[in-house]
Amino acid sequence: MALIILLIVPQHKKSLYKYINLGSASLQLLLSILAVFLFDFRNRHLQLTEHAKWINVPLGDFGEISINYFIGVDALSLSMLLLGAIVLFIGSLSSLSIEKNTLGYFALFLLLSTAIAGCFLALDFFLFYLFFELMLLPMYFLIGMWGGPRREYASIKFFLYTLFGSLLILIVLLGLYISVADPAETAVKMGLLSSAADFNYDLHLVKFQEALASGKIPRASIVHTFNIFYMSDPGNFIPGSILSLTSDWQFFGQPARLIAFLGLFIGFAIKLPTFPFHTWLPDAHVEAPTPISVVLAGILLKVGGYGILRTAYTIFPEGAIYFAWYIGLLGTLSIIYGAFNALAMSDFKKMIAYSSISHMGFVLLGFASLTAEGINGSIFQMFSHGILSSLLFLCAGVIYERAHDRTISHYSGLACKMPLYTTVVTIAFFASLGLPGFSGFIGELFVLLGAFNSAGTNGLIPKWMAMLSTLGILLGAAYFLWTLQRMFFGKYSLHSTIVLKNKLSDLTNHEKYMLFPLIAITISIGVFPGVLFDLIAPFTSHFVTFIEQTGKFNLKQIPFNP
């Protein structure tokens, strides 16, 4: 709606564009907070759902295509929806300084906001994929048109990497669609029920799955579905289909379901990003304008982690167990590799970008542990990193706005001229390196606890991965404290290449409005982590049990090539 309003506002009132965008972000934030208050934390099931038929195409003997507008929230999606609303609001505040082609910028920003919210709300895989793809184009143009000197290179690289991941997801999506039947709509088509709303899962689902497995349901009566939760139940897979448990399809000597899991995992790991699919991220961050760097690091990377949990782990739990060791290894490598690269960076913004790769490695490590502590820690880390990375990139934007130089060695003693800015950066750095009392400490602590416990409970990842990953915390302290010492302390000086139009002033009121709320959030959930853990607990407890039980059962059913 805000986008439509924006497009009909005449050009001579273009000063309103930024306020329409800010108003939309404010409303989205208020609605997300309202959803949290309306959410029943004792209920692990979907809430605030909306379901409507969208596309239905009969295919004769091949069944029927059914794509539905199906949205709703559970604890996982609600936490990410809230994070997205916070980051987009801060990004909208930061965008108030945009002067170049404001209509195009804010139209793309609103489109991006829609896609982000849609990803976290969609429960139909096709609808999710549409929103996932919709994020690609606005971000491509926002970097390519409003970015730095190498913006074309960075935007094309971002586009190609993300497009490759999207193609992998699309291939698996098509395989899932032809393999999964909608029990409710199939019953309606067979004349057993008058409407899908009459389908009683406790009464009808087992009978449907028995009839499907025995071949009693004619192929022409099967209604295929993109419903993610139907896909998570192996009983809804059509016998003999490519991704059914008993399928003889194999690729590269592995069962089709395990390869499908890898396809989804890699597709979302590129967005996360994780080593070795990360190389698009530093270039995109360096060239993107500050508001877009905030949105990219604060929320777009989290779509990758959300997609892994929502689709890859939920639909193919056996893949999560089978590849847990390799996922843990990727997480550990990302932590160490990202930290060493951050330590070597001379560009302030690129240092923060590589630190993001390191911190998102903890998310993967927690996923691999498949323990309640690890999954809780990963989701907490995604939320925490969304807040902290937004704070860090805003801090980088503050100094760049004044000096148009991000080289760390070109500054010294900034605390003398910018004491409040120095205080904010110090808090952001200490929070990011995992100091107790801040949110970064809680997320990493629970991930490491989960990784250690995994070795003793389910034996999926060894203890040495958790032990080696702690090096990432030490390296994080090194690159953050070294940057702090070089830029902000000592004798005040600027490199001869830096030309200031005005004096190096401290934070403006506008910058305080962006930075202070983020500091308040990271301290709040660092001191009172139960606020966030209480939100995500209904999801994680059920999720871990589901992966363990269903995944082990599925592994026993899959025909491996001897």
Side-chain angles (χ1 to χ4, degrees), residues 207-477:
K207 294 180 179 179
F208 167 80
Q209 292 179 349
E210 289 176 350
L212 184 66
S214 63
K216 295 179 180 178
I217 300 179
R219 187 172 184 84
S221 299
I222 294 176
V223 178
H224 297 270
T225 182
F226 287 102
N227 187 303
I228 292 175
F229 292 96
Y230 285 154
M231 292 176 175
S232 67
D233 189 340
N236 294 327
F237 281 73
I238 302 168
S241 60
I242 187 171
L243 293 178
S244 65
L245 285 178
T246 56
S247 171
D248 292 328
W249 286 76
Q250 295 200 355
F251 300 93
F252 310 107
Q254 293 286 353
R257 285 181 64 89
L258 294 183
I259 297 301
F261 171 85
L262 279 182
L264 289 180
F265 176 80
I266 294 173
F268 289 115
I270 291 172
K271 180 75 81 173
L272 192 60
T274 184
F275 173 87
F277 313 111
H278 66 283
T279 59
W280 64 268
L281 181 66
D283 294 309
H285 270 313
V286 168
E287 300 305 325
T290 298
I292 303 309
S293 285
V294 168
V295 175
L296 178 59
I299 195 61
L300 255 69
L301 306 188
K302 312 308 175 290
V303 174
Y306 175 82
I308 290 173
L309 287 183
R310 176 61 74 210
T311 63
Y313 272 46
T314 302
I315 299 172
F316 303 110
E318 67 277 9
I321 295 175
Y322 188 80
F323 292 108
W325 192 93
Y326 301 98
I327 295 171
L329 180 63
L330 283 181
T332 303
L333 290 175
S334 295
I335 293 169
I336 305 302
Y337 174 85
F340 271 118
N341 274 275
L343 192 61
M345 289 299 109
S346 59
D347 186 294
F348 191 18
K349 208 173 183 184
K350 190 169 281 191
M351 183 272 288
I352 299 171
Y354 274 107
S355 76
S356 292
I357 295 172
S358 181
H359 286 116
M360 296 310 289
F362 281 100
V363 173
L364 266 191
L365 185 65
F367 287 175
S369 72
L370 289 178
T371 60
E373 303 95 329
I375 300 296
N376 269 313
S378 291
I379 300 173
F380 196 103
Q381 176 75 349
M382 286 198 293
F383 193 98
S384 169
H385 182 263
I387 300 299
L388 290 173
S389 60
S390 299
L391 180 59
L392 289 169
F393 279 110
L394 285 174
C395 289
V398 167
I399 195 65
Y400 187 74
E401 284 293 320
R402 288 157 172 74
H404 296 284
D405 192 315
R406 291 188 299 263
T407 306
I408 295 172
S409 60
H410 287 183
Y411 300 91
S412 179
L414 290 178
C416 301
K417 300 292 183 179
M418 307 173 70
L420 185 56
Y421 174 63
T422 302
T423 302
V424 170
V425 171
T426 302
I427 293 173
F429 280 8
F430 277 106
S432 297
L433 63 84
L435 189 72
F438 295 99
S439 59
F441 169 75
I442 302 298
E444 292 174 1
L445 173 65
F446 272 76
V447 166
L448 292 174
L449 283 174
F452 272 110
N453 288 341
S454 179
T457 54
N458 52 36
L460 294 177
I461 56 175
K463 287 185 177 180
W464 65 262
M465 287 186 185
M467 296 171 65
L468 187 59
S469 295
T470 58
L471 181 59
I473 300 176
L474 179 62
L475 292 172

Side-chain angles (χ1 to χ4, degrees), residues 154 362 491 544:
F362 281 100
K491 184 180 178 181
V544 172

Side-chain angles (χ1 to χ4, degrees), residues 157-179:
K157 192 173 184 180
F158 163 78
F159 186 91
L160 292 177
Y161 267 78
T162 308
L163 182 62
F164 174 73
S166 298
L167 289 176
L168 291 177
I169 297 170
L170 178 61
I171 292 170
V172 179
L173 173 61
L174 295 175
L176 281 167
Y177 177 74
I178 62 176
S179 301

